[in-house]
Amino acid sequence: MTTARLASRLVGGLLLAAPALAAQSSVVVDPAGPVRTVSEALGRVTPGGRITIRAGVYTEPVIRVAIPVTIIGDSGAVFTGGDHEIFLVTADNVTLRGLTLRGGEHSFMEDRAAVRFDSVANCVIEDSRLEGTFFGIYLARSRGCRVSRNVVRGSAAVEMTSGNAIHLFHSSDITIDGNRVAGHRDGIYLEFAERARVFDNESTDNLRYGLHFMFSHECEYGNNRFERNGAGVAVMYTRHVYMHGNTFGDNWGPSAYGLLLKEIRDSRIIGNIFRQNTVGIYLEGSARNEVLGNTFEGNGWAVRVLANAEGNTFAGNTFRRNAFDVATNSRSNVSTFRENYWDRYEGYDLDRDGYGDVPYHPVRLFSLLVAQNEPALILLRSFFVDMLDAAERVMPVLTPQLLQDERPLMREPA
Amino acid sequence: MTTTDTTAPAVEFRALSKRFGRLTALDAVDVRVARGRVTALVGPNGAGKSTLIKCLLGLVRPDEGEVVLDGTALDGGWEYRGGIGYMPQAPRFPDNLTGRELVEMLRDLRRGLAPADVELLEWFGASGALDRPVRVLSGGTRQKLNAAIAFLFRPHLLILDEPTAGLDPLASGVLKDKIRTVRDAGATVLLSSHLMAELEELAEDLVFLVDGTVRYAGHLAGLKERTGEPSLERAMAAVLRRGHA
Amino acid sequence: MRTATRVLKYELHNVLRSKAVLVYTVLLFLLTDVLFRFGGDGARVVISLLNVVLLLVPLVSVVFGTMYVYAAREFTELLLAQPVSRGSLFAGLYLGLALPLAGAFLAGVGLPFAIHARPDAALWGPLAMLLTAGLLLTLVFTAVAMLLATRFDDRAKGLGGAILIWVACAVLYDGLILLLITMLRNYPLERPVLALTLLNPIDLGRVLLLLQFDTAALMGYTGAVFEKFFGTSTGRMAVLGVLLVQATVPLLLASRVFRRKDF
């Protein structure tokens, strides 16, 4: 008998105060018995074994998973929480699959999660449903784990009393894919999470951010949808981010952004769609980022660049039906716009090389007026304002002349 | 419709006054228009003839006085106009309607009470013009249409403003015949014209307006007698010179 | 009312045959059609049509309307000599003017959409709002035309007034609002500006369309007033309601003048 097994049996035995039985590689938990709780099953299963949960509603104290094990719920296997976490995983190589976790009171004292992985490696949680939990899936100090195809639905109404759906803290090489999260404070939250791969997720209708990360370098985000989140997506204090093929949509509000970049450096944002956001991309203190081949459609402001953002490149993007294409608070410009398609461009292409022969100035006089006098926004699309803009184009006085696209595309890039 | 008091004058203007700003168009006008006769309404330009007619039609609201029709004072109602045929001076019909549509429209507005009197159109030989848009009709043909419309609904009171203006002599004659015919049938006719010969030919009575006041009202022949002038034209000139009849 | 519908029937006959209305319809049709051929998708065409609707529709409505009422002046007198009430004649005249213009607008803009636009649920909202705005602006500015042409016997005055009102609503008004906002930038101006916007029918039409296309931008405004107003369907209903009031008020005034007028 290994020490681990002995320990687990001891733990199980202590918890259940039940006689120790012979360890099995496969244990079935069933409301009708003989094994009625997961905690009991954990005391009986061999490390690396499997626990199968039959349909039923289970209400247990914190289920502490301290041995490598695979726990699989049959359809209808439901765990309810309360004033404590449901699963606390502290062993490597633990897999949770097909579970339904329901309920969990909010706490001001701790980030109480339905499932917490703490200081583990190679953990998996997949194909599970979390409904109305405070924090959903929480990984702390873990590495090489995978969070796949889970549905995490909250019913958050107030930021103060809501938690995040998927939360990573000081973790590395985590894969988050195919999840659908909604109704939390933040949909996906990463803090000090490096080399995470976030793919094919849907994060919608969260109170604050669909995706929120800081100090999480070298992460990749692909083909996710972030929609109708209170403040959109905000990412901060991070280097070497790669975002591609994501959709940022319908994030409305005075401080809502399709994508807010704060102190983001050396990152690539490629082939994403920004649709119907109050602000498509917002850059603050961010440098040397490449924004390539994205589509900005129907946003209030497609791109907002603050003066302290330097050396960013916008190329090959499509700008369609935005109220404002680019806004900035600076007369000088330190970002580069080239070879984008602008639906407002009225220039010509005499040499037929596909690029307009006169530069496009994406900053309108009206956007400066609105920046200084917000109520002027009500005059959007008015004939008078169009005349002002036309006059400014002919004789520029106020708009930054350096901010221009020298070679605007005549047609939308394929 | 009000009951007709056949003993009363067809139309009676009682102390009728109307001012347009500083201009006095009618100044306490008292006139009776006899039933079943043709009354000429004459006077220099701006004498108030049109205003008087418009008061009768309800197009202009008098400041003071009243218009009494068949013994009943007008009170702002509109039904009484069913008995009136009006031929305005130089009308403009909607360009794109045909004469026939125009006639149908007016008949519609009168709810088709009586079968229309299209005799005049036939006399004019203008029936063929009915199917063309008004805009392509000649001035004379339009005037024929205008006249026909006035007689269309067998009115017992006809108000004709310069009826023969723009008509060729032949059509003029036809119209005069029609006026006599309806007069003989008992209709009252109020006729405004600058053609003295025409008035002498048609009218029995005469109302002479100058500057909004009545200078003469009575038998047409009486005016000539009183002034001792041989022609109506000279008689009127004499009235103007003397300031009264 | 029966008299009004009888008058209306023949007014419709007349106006629908007028070249001006035909030209107006064809112009709108060609414009929309060309936008489809060059611009592509329906939503973009709606946006391109925004300023056409906001400028051309009021201009045609108020100028053609005023000229039309003046041209019908003598005939109106002839009709008033018939046994009809002034009220019903007025109603017939107004509808006989407004309905053909509204119809011309709906046909001129709507037909190209029926021909070119792919059935796309996302397009119905903006298109419906474009047509509604154009329709209401037609009603408002024909009502203004009725008032001008009834109030002023001098045609030059009436026509001058029509053009003046159009220039004021289409251009000057927004300039004044902008000036006001810039000059008084230290004061909370949201409510006054919102109120000022509600006074100008062309601005209201524009706001209706903004609510379709630019909610994203409007919601970015930190002053809570716009957001509260625009964020609700109540706001949209209010805008539609105010436009109806703006058609009704000049119409009632015109009707009052018409009833008391000496012709």
Side-chain angles (χ1 to χ4, degrees):
Chain A
M1 195 177 283
T2 66
T3 352
R5 264 173 87 179
L6 180 64
S8 79
R9 284 178 64 180
L10 277 172
V11 168
L14 282 169
L15 277 172
L16 296 169
L21 297 165
Q24 296 166 290
S25 66
S26 178
V27 178
V28 174
V29 179
D30 193 308
V35 180
R36 293 169 195 265
T37 68
V38 183
S39 304
E40 187 186 344
L42 283 166
R44 295 186 177 195
V45 75
T46 54
R50 159 196 292 243
I51 297 174
T52 306
I53 321 281
R54 296 279 183 247
V57 177
Y58 301 87
T59 306
E60 302 182 30
V62 183
I63 300 169
R64 295 170 191 274
V65 184
I67 55 166
V69 67
T70 299
I71 301 178
I72 300 171
D74 282 357
S75 157
V78 177
F79 292 83
T80 62
D83 59 355
H84 57 82
E85 297 186 323
I86 301 177
F87 282 93
L88 171 58
V89 178
T90 53
D92 295 347
N93 301 312
V94 171
T95 294
L96 304 179
R97 181 184 305 143
L99 306 172
T100 296
L101 310 176
R102 204 170 276 165
E105 295 164 17
H106 70 82
S107 162
F108 294 114
M109 304 302 293
E110 51 164 348
D111 291 346
R112 187 182 291 147
V115 180
R116 174 187 295 272
F117 297 91
D118 198 343
S119 310
V120 302
N122 306 324
C123 59
V124 174
I125 173 163
E126 60 188 9
D127 300 314
S128 292
R129 253 192 106 77
L130 285 75
E131 294 167 354
T133 58
F134 180 40
F135 277 67
I137 300 165
Y138 197 119
L139 287 87
R141 292 170 288 274
S142 298
R143 61 194 158 79
C145 294
R146 193 157 60 75
V147 180
S148 300
R149 297 181 304 279
N150 301 289
V151 175
V152 189
R153 294 226 173 280
S155 48
V158 191
E159 244 182 59
M160 283 289 287
T161 58
S162 58
N164 303 326
I166 298 175
H167 186 111
L168 269 58
F169 180 70
H170 272 291
S171 296
S172 57
D173 301 293
I174 310 288
T175 297
I176 301 173
D177 65 338
N179 301 284
R180 284 185 288 148
V181 305
H184 283 263
R185 184 171 66 197
D186 292 347
I188 300 172
Y189 178 98
L190 296 83
E191 189 175 352
F192 299 106
E194 299 192 349
R195 293 181 304 282
R197 293 170 49 80
V198 180
F199 280 82
D200 302 315
N201 301 286
E202 271 182 43
S203 179
T204 59
D205 303 292
N206 296 291
L207 284 185
R208 199 170 64 178
Y209 299 118
L211 167 70
H212 186 32
F213 64 73
M214 53 188 93
F215 311 110
S216 297
H217 309 303
E218 321 257 348
C219 295
E220 186 178 344
Y221 305 83
N223 304 326
N224 303 287
R225 303 177 71 88
F226 303 105
E227 291 174 339
R228 297 183 303 279
N229 296 297
V233 166
V235 302
M236 307 168 181
Y237 314 112
T238 298
R239 296 182 306 272
H240 301 294
V241 179
Y242 180 26
M243 289 184 158
H244 55 91
N246 302 288
T247 300
F248 302 83
D250 297 310
N251 301 295
W252 288 355
S255 52
Y257 308 91
L259 176 59
L260 179 149
L261 304 172
K262 181 174 183 171
E263 307 275 337
I264 297 288
R265 288 162 204 281
D266 303 301
S267 295
R268 289 174 297 157
I269 295 161
I270 298 176
N272 302 283
I273 294 172
F274 296 85
R275 184 183 292 141
Q276 297 269 345
N277 303 289
T278 292
V279 177
I281 289 193
Y282 179 92
L283 285 96
E284 181 182 340
S286 296
R288 297 184 304 278
N289 299 296
E290 295 186 329
V291 182
L292 312 176
N294 302 283
T295 298
F296 296 87
E297 185 175 82
N299 300 287
W301 288 261
V303 175
R304 199 158 204 167
V305 195
L306 294 198
N308 56 9
E310 293 180 14
N312 300 291
T313 302
F314 292 81
N317 301 291
T318 296
F319 291 84
R320 266 199 307 250
R321 296 205 295 270
N322 301 293
F324 302 95
D325 289 327
V326 177
T328 178
N329 60 353
S330 161
R331 287 272 285 135
S332 62
N333 172 56
V334 280
S335 288
T336 307
F337 287 83
R338 60 177 162 79
E339 295 170 16
N340 299 287
Y341 172 80
W342 312 87
D343 66 345
R344 277 205 184 78
Y345 182 59
E346 286 163 354
Y348 43 84
D349 177 22
L350 290 182
D351 54 8
R352 300 205 165 264
D353 63 350
Y355 297 97
D357 299 345
V358 289
Y360 176 71
H361 296 275
V363 180
R364 300 167 64 191
L365 173 61
F366 184 49
S367 80
L368 291 184
L369 290 175
V370 169
Q372 288 161 12
N373 314 283
E374 279 197 323
L377 189 59
I378 195 93
L379 296 174
L380 184 61
R381 290 192 198 281
S382 85
F383 181 62
F384 185 82
V385 160
D386 287 353
M387 287 197 320
L388 273 188
D389 277 336
E392 172 75 11
R393 269 200 296 280
V394 178
M395 286 182 303
V397 195
L398 298 171
T399 51
Q401 284 315 290
L402 284 171
L403 202 162
Q404 63 178 23
D405 191 331
E406 290 278 2
R407 275 162 62 80
L409 283 172
M410 293 305 289
R411 289 174 186 282
E412 290 182 32
Chain B
M1 200 168 291
T2 50
T3 49
T4 304
D5 175 0
T6 49
T7 60
V11 184
E12 190 177 354
F13 300 99
R14 288 183 188 154
L16 204 65
S17 292
K18 179 68 189 179
R19 276 171 296 278
F20 295 109
R22 257 179 266 155
L23 177 82
T24 302
L26 295 176
D27 188 6
V29 168
D30 277 296
V31 166
R32 292 162 166 240
V33 177
R35 182 176 311 281
R37 292 161 72 93
V38 177
T39 300
L41 184 59
V42 293
N45 293 329
K49 298 184 303 264
S50 291
T51 308
L52 195 68
I53 288 175
K54 285 180 172 181
C55 284
L56 178 52
L57 288 168
L59 288 170
V60 167
R61 312 262 155 121
D63 298 326
E64 285 151 41
E66 56 184 5
V67 180
V68 181
L69 209 70
D70 299 325
T72 311
L74 302 188
D75 58 354
W78 47 269
E79 291 85 353
Y80 75 93
R81 291 196 287 265
I84 299 179
Y86 175 45
M87 180 177 175
Q89 192 181 354
R92 273 189 65 184
F93 302 118
D95 282 344
N96 304 302
L97 292 187
T98 63
R100 193 176 303 284
E101 284 170 326
L102 204 57
V103 169
E104 273 167 25
M105 173 181 193
L106 295 170
R107 187 186 292 175
D108 253 14
L109 286 179
R110 293 181 183 243
R111 326 251 148 107
L113 280 181
D117 174 3
V118 292
E119 193 178 56
L120 190 53
L121 273 176
E122 287 161 14
W123 288 2
F124 280 140
S127 307
L130 281 181
D131 290 313
R132 295 198 288 160
V134 171
R135 102 181 90 85
V136 304
L137 299 181
S138 72
T141 313
R142 271 185 234 191
Q143 187 68 347
K144 287 177 188 170
L145 192 60
N146 186 21
I149 284 170
F151 288 89
L152 207 51
F153 304 102
R154 306 172 194 280
H156 53 76
L157 174 60
L158 272 153
I159 301 166
L160 310 175
D161 200 351
E162 301 288 348
T164 57
L167 289 183
D168 57 66
L170 205 65
S172 265
V174 165
L175 179 56
K176 286 176 199 163
D177 286 346
K178 181 68 183 175
I179 293 172
R180 285 191 200 99
T181 310
V182 298
R183 190 258 330 263
D184 293 347
T188 308
V189 180
L190 191 58
L191 183 67
S192 166
S193 176
H194 283 98
L195 300 173
M196 294 306 139
E198 183 175 298
L199 292 176
E200 283 188 274
E201 196 179 333
L202 285 170
E204 287 109 11
D205 296 337
L206 181 130
V207 174
F208 186 21
L209 279 178
V210 177
D211 293 335
T213 55
V214 180
R215 292 298 169 85
Y216 178 84
H219 292 299
L220 189 145
L223 181 67
K224 284 193 275 186
E225 274 168 32
R226 207 178 292 186
T227 54
E229 296 285 352
S231 73
L232 185 54
E233 206 160 10
R234 284 175 175 276
M236 283 166 57
V239 170
L240 277 178
R241 262 196 319 273
R242 281 190 277 169
H244 61 88
Chain C
M1 262 347 264
R2 282 168 65 190
T3 309
T5 53
R6 288 188 173 104
V7 173
L8 171 61
K9 183 172 133 196
Y10 292 94
E11 292 289 336
L12 285 181
H13 272 297
N14 183 40
V15 178
L16 286 176
R17 282 178 211 165
S18 89
K19 283 210 182 68
V21 172
L22 188 70
V23 167
Y24 179 50
T25 316
V26 170
L27 184 74
L28 286 170
F29 181 92
L30 288 180
L31 197 74
T32 313
D33 193 72
V34 163
L35 284 173
F36 263 109
R37 288 177 199 280
F38 286 89
D41 68 299
R44 185 179 296 179
V45 173
V46 173
I47 289 188
S48 308
L49 281 174
L50 182 135
N51 266 325
V52 172
V53 171
L54 294 182
L55 298 178
L56 188 64
V57 167
L59 180 67
V60 168
S61 297
V62 76
V63 171
F64 175 79
T66 310
M67 290 189 340
Y68 174 80
V69 177
Y70 279 135
R73 174 69 191 260
E74 286 90 351
F75 188 59
T76 306
E77 285 181 26
L78 180 64
L79 290 181
L80 281 174
Q82 310 301 318
V84 296
S85 75
R86 288 195 177 192
S88 47
L89 183 59
F90 179 83
L93 267 178
Y94 173 66
L95 293 175
L97 169 66
L99 293 186
L101 282 182
F105 166 74
L106 293 180
V109 170
L111 281 180
F113 274 89
I115 295 169
H116 296 291
R118 274 178 232 97
D120 172 9
L123 180 62
W124 299 137
L127 178 61
M129 211 40 96
L130 182 82
L131 296 180
T132 307
L135 188 71
L136 287 171
L137 285 174
T138 306
L139 297 184
V140 170
F141 281 89
T142 45
V144 170
M146 289 294 283
L147 179 58
L148 287 169
T150 318
R151 173 70 185 74
F152 297 110
D153 283 335
D154 182 348
R155 294 172 190 218
K157 256 190 209 169
L159 215 55
I163 291 169
L164 198 70
I165 283 180
W166 178 78
V167 170
C169 288
V171 191
L172 296 182
Y173 196 85
D174 292 344
L176 286 177
I177 289 186
L178 192 60
L179 192 67
L180 190 79
I181 291 173
T182 324
M183 278 172 30
L184 304 176
R185 70 169 65 163
N186 297 323
Y187 298 88
L189 280 177
E190 294 84 5
R191 276 167 207 283
V193 163
L194 196 63
L196 283 176
T197 309
L198 291 178
L199 290 179
N200 179 356
I202 295 187
D203 275 346
L204 276 182
R206 192 169 49 76
V207 164
L208 271 182
L209 292 163
L210 286 188
L211 292 179
Q212 291 294 322
F213 299 116
D214 301 292
T215 328
L218 291 173
M219 299 301 259
Y221 178 51
T222 47
V225 179
F226 288 0
E227 195 186 326
K228 264 186 203 147
F229 186 75
F230 293 130
T232 58
S233 56
T234 322
R236 195 165 307 173
M237 286 297 133
V239 173
L240 286 173
V242 175
L243 268 169
L244 279 177
V245 169
Q246 285 174 344
T248 313
V249 168
L251 199 60
L252 288 179
L253 284 176
S255 160
R256 201 179 131 96
V257 173
F258 189 85
R259 281 159 198 269
R260 300 178 174 199
K261 189 178 167 62
D262 290 326
F263 282 87

